[in-house]
Amino acid sequence: AQKVTQAQTEISVVEKEDVTLDCVYETRDTTYYLFWYKQPPSGELVFLIRRNSFDEQNEISGRYSWNFQKSTSSFNFTITASQVVDSAVYFCALSGNSGGSNYKLTFGKGTLLTVNP
Amino acid sequence: DTAVSQTPKYLVTQMGNDKSIKCEQNLGHDTMYWYKQDSKKFLKIMFSYNNKELIINETVPNRFSPKSPDKAHLNLHINSLELGDSAVYFCASSHPSSSASLYNEQFFGPGTRLTVL
């Protein structure tokens, strides 16, 4: 069975602070993908990044960066110089390659990030 | 040119009624999904369809019946609505038609907020 744990339920920061959202996953699949999605107050789900299990390179996209560490089964997400518009619920998700797990995303419970001006 | 669309956006109904939510994607994807997001924001897969065939039914009550008339549509019909069905329902699509692209990101619709009174 697959599992995604986002231990931080809520995080509150002041604008311009850096913030890291943690994600720990469990899977028995040898090949899998990890994702982050953003859900702003308006409610839609916005895709941010996909990372496959063979690629442990960190990725940076503007103020966003992701740190994938297979040894600790973690895929953490850092926002640098946070802005009020970053306020949202962020979901980490996992897709595997067996038992139909490639046909679904297993989501963590989400982290509510509030960036205060 | 909306990628994944759902109708209606809001649905308020009485317990015991039957209702449908429609989903359409114009991305040319061959796999579609329904997810349920409960009041605590937890997202869970309900169904996934690939080329109009049911792939995953994640222990959803029989009152929920998805129908896929073609690859671009996946509708969700709910019979005998119960209070516990109140949630936001998200449709999504992706294109895992080959092993190389099995783990493509899922694109989500805007969600349908169902309220059962």
Side-chain angles (χ1 to χ4, degrees):
Chain A
Q2 301 192 106
K3 186 177 179 182
V4 176
T5 302
Q6 293 180 255
Q8 303 149 310
T9 307
E10 294 187 36
I11 299 176
S12 183
V13 300
V14 177
E15 210 170 16
K16 297 185 183 175
E17 282 185 24
D18 298 348
V19 57
T20 295
L21 310 181
D22 297 333
C23 173
V24 174
Y25 62 91
E26 295 175 31
T27 180
R28 292 179 181 171
D29 291 336
T30 54
T31 302
Y32 51 89
Y33 269 77
L34 295 159
F35 304 80
W36 276 94
Y37 282 83
K38 173 183 180 180
Q39 187 174 39
S42 50
E44 72 272 24
L45 283 159
V46 179
F47 165 76
L48 295 177
I49 190 171
R50 173 189 60 171
R51 173 66 66 204
N52 78 49
S53 52
F54 297 120
D55 182 2
E56 289 194 65
Q57 280 190 340
N58 291 334
E59 180 152 344
I60 297 175
S61 175
R63 295 184 298 107
Y64 295 170
S65 62
W66 291 268
N67 182 1
F68 175 34
Q69 292 199 339
K70 211 167 176 178
S71 61
T72 55
S73 298
S74 65
F75 186 44
N76 297 336
F77 172 31
T78 297
I79 301 174
T80 303
S82 59
Q83 300 176 1
V84 172
V85 293
D86 295 327
S87 297
V89 179
Y90 290 87
F91 293 96
C92 181
L94 169 67
S95 177
N97 73 336
S98 64
S101 62
N102 49 323
Y103 284 103
K104 67 177 181 181
L105 288 174
T106 298
F107 283 89
K109 293 190 175 181
T111 297
L112 171 62
L113 173 65
T114 302
V115 181
N116 299 298
Chain B
D1 58 345
T2 305
V4 183
S5 60
Q6 295 178 227
T7 52
K9 188 165 174 62
Y10 299 96
L11 186 51
V12 180
T13 189
Q14 298 288 331
M15 218 166 39
N17 284 350
D18 303 338
K19 289 294 178 185
S20 292
I21 306 172
K22 294 186 176 181
C23 178
E24 176 181 4
Q25 54 93 5
N26 62 5
L27 297 166
H29 290 164
D30 54 11
T31 303
M32 295 185 72
Y33 313 80
W34 277 108
Y35 288 85
K36 178 179 180 180
Q37 185 172 43
D38 63 22
S39 58
K40 295 184 178 180
K41 296 283 192 181
F42 184 51
L43 273 159
K44 186 171 166 57
I45 184 74
M46 298 174 70
F47 302 101
S48 65
Y49 270 72
N50 178 248
N51 286 318
K52 302 192 299 174
E53 297 294 325
L54 179 66
I55 303 295
I56 286 178
N57 177 342
E58 198 82 346
T59 60
V60 179
N62 291 339
R63 299 182 296 101
F64 291 79
S65 53
K67 285 190 172 46
S68 182
D70 55 57
K71 288 197 294 185
H73 295 84
L74 180 63
N75 304 323
L76 183 65
H77 189 76
I78 315 170
N79 289 328
S80 303
L81 278 155
E82 300 177 357
L83 294 176
D85 298 332
S86 296
V88 180
Y89 293 84
F90 285 97
C91 177
S93 73
S94 68
H95 192 52
S97 58
S98 69
S99 58
S101 60
L102 255 182
Y103 315 109
N104 284 338
E105 61 269 25
Q106 296 183 16
F107 293 84
F108 285 81
T112 295
R113 182 174 294 277
L114 171 64
T115 303
V116 183
L117 303 174

